[in-house]
Amino acid sequence: MAAVAARHIRKQFGDVFAVNDISLSVNDGEFLVLLGPSGCGKTTFLRILAGLESQTSGDILIGGENVNEVPPRARGIAMVFQSYGLYPHLSVFNNIAFPLKTQNTPRDELRRKVDWAMRLLSIDHLSSRRPRQLSGGERQRVALARALVREPTVFLLDEPLSNLDAKLRTSARSELKQFQQTVRTSTVYVTHDQVEAMGMGDRIAVIDHGQLRQIGTPTEIYDQPADEFVATFLGTPPMNLVEREGGSLGFRPEHFLPREMLNGSALAEMPFRIDRMEYLGSERILYGEIEGRPSKRIVTAKLPAHAASDQLRAGDRHAFAVRCSELHYFDREGRRTREGAVQ
Amino acid sequence: MTAIAEGTRPVPRRSRFVLDRPEFMGPLFIAPAILYVVLLVALPFFLAIYYSVSAYTIFNPSYHFVGLKNLKEVLESDIFRHTLGNTFFFTIVSQIFGLLLGKVGAMLLIQDFPGRGIARALVVLPWAVPVSLAVLAWKWMFDSLYSVINWTLMAVGLMDPMNPAQWLGTTDLAMTAVITVHAWRLFPFGVVIFLAGLTSVPKDVLDAATIDGAGFWRRNYVIIMPIILPIITIALIFGTVFTFTDLSVVYLLTNGGPVNSTQVLGSLGFQVGVLSGDVSHGAVICLFLFPFLLLATIILLKVLRRREI
Ligand SMILES: Nc1ncnc2c1ncn2[C@@H]1O[C@H](COP(=O)(O)OP(=O)(O)OP(=O)(O)O)[C@@H](O)[C@H]1O
Ligand SMILES: [Mg+2]
């Protein structure tokens, strides 16, 4: 059974739809990532799930029950905000205890639960500190602990790592994922960072302009993008798109290799004119153009650094190729079509 | 090469850069403030201290030293003791009402509604209007014959038309009137302070409290109030000093009457020291404000310092 389900959710601000007909469900114990560019409506959708914002139309179901009219506190959700929303005047202990106090939890039960949450997140030594005396990572853990003590049906996390520096973010990412696997609570995680999404999500929901573009496992999203938006939103550099009759042809830069590096038969060969090369340590990025195949953007190729043979130089023309199985076909509307339908 | 270049460059005169030097500009900029404090605060203050221990009156300007005789006489006077009580009562009660109204006003004005900008601007009026003008208007409202307040109360049947309230003529009502005017004058200050406080509470914190199950009251008194407490404390102390030392409202509205029932330290000091010319006793009365203001200032500075951490 789905822990949370959204049915045709719309949210209108003035005359713009911040959320435009999103339907999705989060399975029990699942880690679902909402991924999309800035301003696409992720936060708005999450706030609607939480009940902090009311939808213009559509239904929210939590544990199978319609909660449209249920206030946030009774929805059985816990939310971690982008800036954590810790209570600045309360100690770490009291911050975590706050949701229990509002439920009039008996004293010793409260103590027990708070201690348990603090130990789980290894912040028990901070219990008497105030939020402003904590580092970003510690604050994030306090916010998680506060969310955890309520034993919610679902966690809603809104870019909880975006305030951390790059290094801390990587370790916090794996800690968070590990934590979720320990407690096994269904989680909706919002981010605009594809690395976070790919690394953490059991499934990813890609959103653009308030619309759900695709939902699926990271592999599905990456290997079988439903449309050009998803194809070009994920991957660094993003998927190349070149014109073809009746739409466009897509292939990932790491599949676009010098002809001699590929063996086998089913290859699509393309003459590549290299304009510029970038050396990134473990790999080399080539920027250029495919002759006879116009593209809206510069075409890129990603080669393992060791394999980038010395013959490749900026200004050169070289025969490149893609395996036919790694070609993606999109129609004029940008939607994926059956492979090889028209060539 | 460099020697030649240096030789041809004109040597800059030190005085040209005098305006760049903090040890010159610093004292220059701070001088007006120091002058102001010395001439208009420190000098009168020490003069007042001296007056309070001398036998100085306008009619007999002698600096003859009499020690604590004036203080003793003032403390033994019934009117003074009554006035001291009045001052505290009136300061505390008008603070409470002013800030309470301010809080309610701020909570209304923080909501989004059409015309909010105009409403916010209008609220500041009681502060912007000169006190003499404002009190004049209030005087009409409290007038025994033309009182709008009485008319209204009579119209809704809460007051006997044969026996209208004498707002400024009976002791209790006169105090009520003075407090009302003061609370009214404090109200905009309260609104502004509370608005600043309320908008400074991060939205995430409020949303978190909502999700954590805090209702309206708990959000208000367990989350918002403690967070904005330092701001409120500052408002309270400012308001207290402002009200404690004020004599304009009492002087213009009731002149301390009837029978000294609304007399406050400021107005009594003014009456004795300036109007009756008994400068030394007036000085004693006014100096009575000093310990309380000192205390208030110390607390204020403490709060401000704690806030910085
Ligand atoms: N209260 C509001 N009033 C009007 N428009 C709003 C409001 N809240 C959000 N919007 C608009 O709705 C759209 C979606 O906003 P939202 O905050 O959900 O984006 P987001 O995907 O969370 O972006 P980000 O990644 O930058 O946080 C934006 O275009 C935003 O301008
Ligand atoms: Mg957002």
Side-chain angles (χ1 to χ4, degrees):
Chain A
M1 188 191 59
V4 186
R7 304 252 167 89
H8 302 289
I9 295 297
R10 282 172 194 270
K11 175 71 188 184
Q12 199 166 6
F13 287 116
D15 47 351
V16 293
F17 277 102
V19 176
N20 198 349
D21 198 14
I22 292 188
S23 299
L24 54 80
S25 54
V26 189
N27 301 326
D28 264 336
E30 183 183 36
F31 196 109
L32 179 78
V33 176
L34 299 184
L35 176 68
S38 189
C40 72
K42 305 179 297 287
T43 299
T44 309
F45 181 68
L46 205 65
R47 290 172 62 84
I48 291 171
L49 287 183
L52 290 170
E53 204 99 55
S54 59
Q55 64 269 36
T56 310
S57 67
D59 297 315
I60 301 289
L61 285 79
I62 294 181
E65 283 184 41
N66 187 319
V67 293
N68 287 357
E69 305 301 325
V70 178
R73 70 188 141 83
R75 289 193 180 192
I77 43 123
M79 190 158 171
V80 174
F81 296 85
Q82 190 164 350
S83 51
Y84 309 132
L86 297 178
Y87 309 123
H89 58 296
L90 298 180
S91 66
V92 165
F93 184 93
N94 284 324
N95 259 283
I96 301 173
F98 188 79
L100 297 175
K101 281 185 183 158
T102 63
Q103 297 167 353
N104 298 320
T105 312
R107 245 198 155 137
D108 25 325
E109 191 188 336
L110 180 142
R111 258 224 96 79
R112 200 164 38 74
K113 282 189 173 170
V114 174
D115 283 341
W116 165 75
M118 288 199 298
R119 259 201 312 280
L120 188 69
L121 289 149
S122 353
I123 45 172
D124 26 357
H125 58 293
L126 303 171
S127 83
S128 55
R129 295 243 199 120
R130 295 280 171 88
R132 66 160 184 275
Q133 301 165 316
L134 302 175
S135 74
E138 288 164 345
R139 277 179 214 179
Q140 187 228 356
R141 276 181 279 167
V142 175
L144 277 174
R146 184 177 64 181
L148 187 62
V149 287
R150 306 184 56 206
E151 297 172 15
T153 340
V154 57
F155 281 130
L156 305 178
L157 310 175
D158 190 1
E159 311 205 18
L161 305 184
S162 63
N163 280 341
L164 307 181
D165 64 55
K167 206 164 178 183
L168 192 54
R169 200 180 300 182
T170 317
S171 63
R173 192 160 69 213
S174 49
E175 271 177 31
L176 190 61
K177 178 70 188 169
Q178 214 167 32
F179 160 78
Q180 196 266 341
Q181 279 168 344
T182 318
V183 298
R184 278 270 145 225
T185 306
S186 311
T187 302
V188 181
Y189 183 100
V190 161
T191 184
H192 59 249
D193 181 343
Q194 48 163 315
V195 182
E196 267 174 34
M198 297 291 285
M200 299 173 87
D202 294 328
R203 281 195 304 158
I204 299 175
V206 184
I207 297 174
D208 181 43
H209 284 96
Q211 281 170 324
L212 182 63
R213 289 311 188 87
Q214 187 176 4
I215 182 163
T217 63
T219 342
E220 281 166 10
I221 300 275
Y222 194 78
D223 292 341
Q224 295 155 46
D227 58 21
E228 288 183 4
F229 174 80
V230 179
T232 51
F233 189 70
L234 283 118
T236 38
M239 185 180 280
N240 295 307
L241 289 175
V242 295
E243 276 180 23
R244 71 174 173 100
E245 207 182 320
S248 57
L249 185 67
F251 47 91
R252 299 238 169 243
E254 62 268 30
H255 298 145
F256 187 51
L257 299 169
R259 171 70 185 82
E260 65 270 19
M261 284 176 68
L262 294 164
N263 38 33
S265 53
L267 296 182
E269 240 178 89
M270 292 176 235
F272 186 45
R273 207 193 62 229
I274 305 161
D275 292 335
R276 196 158 61 80
M277 293 213 317
E278 238 173 47
Y279 176 67
L280 298 176
S282 65
E283 61 210 14
R284 208 176 278 260
I285 314 271
L286 277 49
Y287 300 84
E289 233 174 85
I290 292 172
E291 293 180 341
R293 291 259 191 197
S295 166
K296 287 191 204 88
R297 279 181 306 164
I298 296 170
V299 173
T300 53
K302 184 151 97 178
L303 275 57
H306 66 88
S309 47
D310 294 334
Q311 317 132 17
L312 297 174
R313 267 176 234 293
D316 280 1
R317 187 179 301 131
H318 197 94
F320 270 60
V322 187
R323 282 199 181 86
C324 286
S325 57
E326 280 156 352
L327 285 174
H328 305 266
Y329 299 87
F330 300 100
D331 64 15
R332 284 215 172 73
E333 276 75 52
R335 280 189 304 262
R336 181 183 195 82
T337 57
R338 266 197 332 117
E339 302 179 19
V342 211
Q343 168 70 10
Chain B
M1 182 73 196
T2 46
I4 298 168
E6 260 171 33
T8 52
R9 196 189 299 153
V11 181
R13 277 182 308 149
R14 283 181 67 83
S15 58
R16 257 183 62 200
F17 297 110
V18 76
L19 293 184
D20 290 334
R21 302 219 319 260
E23 61 278 25
F24 177 78
M25 294 310 282
L28 190 71
F29 280 160
I30 210 159
I34 291 182
L35 221 66
Y36 170 85
V37 171
V38 168
L39 290 181
L40 295 175
V41 181
L43 217 63
F45 177 69
F46 288 112
L47 210 58
I49 291 183
Y50 188 75
Y51 283 148
S52 69
V53 290
S54 71
Y56 191 101
T57 63
I58 324 185
F59 318 108
N60 178 17
S62 85
Y63 287 97
H64 176 60
F65 181 77
V66 295
L68 297 179
K69 175 171 159 286
N70 295 331
L71 180 68
K72 192 160 166 283
E73 282 165 7
V74 166
L75 282 177
E76 279 168 359
S77 129
D78 279 342
I79 293 181
F80 175 77
R81 275 182 286 185
H82 186 61
T83 301
L84 195 63
N86 278 350
T87 311
F88 274 100
F89 180 72
F90 137 97
T91 304
I92 293 168
V93 176
S94 47
Q95 281 320 295
I96 293 173
F97 279 103
L99 286 188
L100 271 183
L101 285 176
K103 175 152 198 282
V104 174
M107 287 175 73
L108 290 177
L109 286 176
I110 206 165
Q111 311 292 335
D112 211 357
F113 58 89
R116 179 172 76 165
I118 295 171
R120 281 191 178 185
L122 282 179
V123 158
V124 188
L125 266 186
W127 232 17
V129 176
V131 60
S132 49
L133 212 64
V135 174
L136 210 65
W138 277 102
K139 214 166 175 162
W140 275 102
M141 288 200 265
F142 289 130
D143 189 273
S144 48
L145 270 183
Y146 304 104
S147 169
V148 179
I149 301 168
N150 285 0
W151 286 356
T152 314
L153 289 175
M154 285 174 201
V156 296
L158 284 175
M159 190 181 280
D160 177 9
M162 295 288 89
N163 186 18
Q166 301 288 323
W167 285 100
L168 303 176
T170 33
T171 53
D172 289 348
L173 287 181
M175 195 55 156
T176 312
V178 169
I179 288 173
T180 307
V181 175
H182 249 288
W184 175 79
R185 288 189 71 208
L186 278 171
F187 162 69
F189 179 63
V191 169
V192 169
I193 290 284
F194 272 103
L195 262 183
L198 290 179
T199 43
S200 77
V201 178
K203 191 163 177 286
D204 275 4
V205 171
L206 293 179
D207 285 340
T210 307
I211 288 191
D212 283 346
F216 175 82
W217 296 106
R218 202 189 284 262
R219 260 204 317 274
N220 254 287
Y221 293 100
V222 184
I223 304 292
I224 297 177
M225 287 298 264
I227 292 178
I228 66 175
L229 191 66
I231 300 182
I232 299 171
T233 314
I234 291 169
L236 189 68
I237 294 167
F238 257 88
T240 306
V241 171
F242 178 75
T243 319
F244 204 78
T245 55
D246 186 86
L247 66 101
S248 53
V249 171
V250 167
Y251 184 69
L252 293 167
L253 197 65
T254 63
N255 201 5
V259 285
N260 288 319
S261 63
T262 57
Q263 200 71 268
V264 291
L265 285 181
S267 61
L268 186 68
F270 183 68
Q271 262 181 16
V272 173
V274 178
L275 297 183
S276 328
D278 186 356
V279 178
S280 54
H281 287 91
V284 171
I285 294 168
C286 290
L287 281 175
F288 237 88
L289 298 169
F290 179 66
F292 302 107
L293 299 182
L294 188 68
L295 194 71
T297 313
I298 289 172
I299 298 174
L300 179 69
L301 291 177
K302 276 239 161 77
V303 171
L304 281 177
R305 197 165 321 138
R306 223 186 56 196
R307 227 179 119 62
E308 273 172 20
I309 300 168

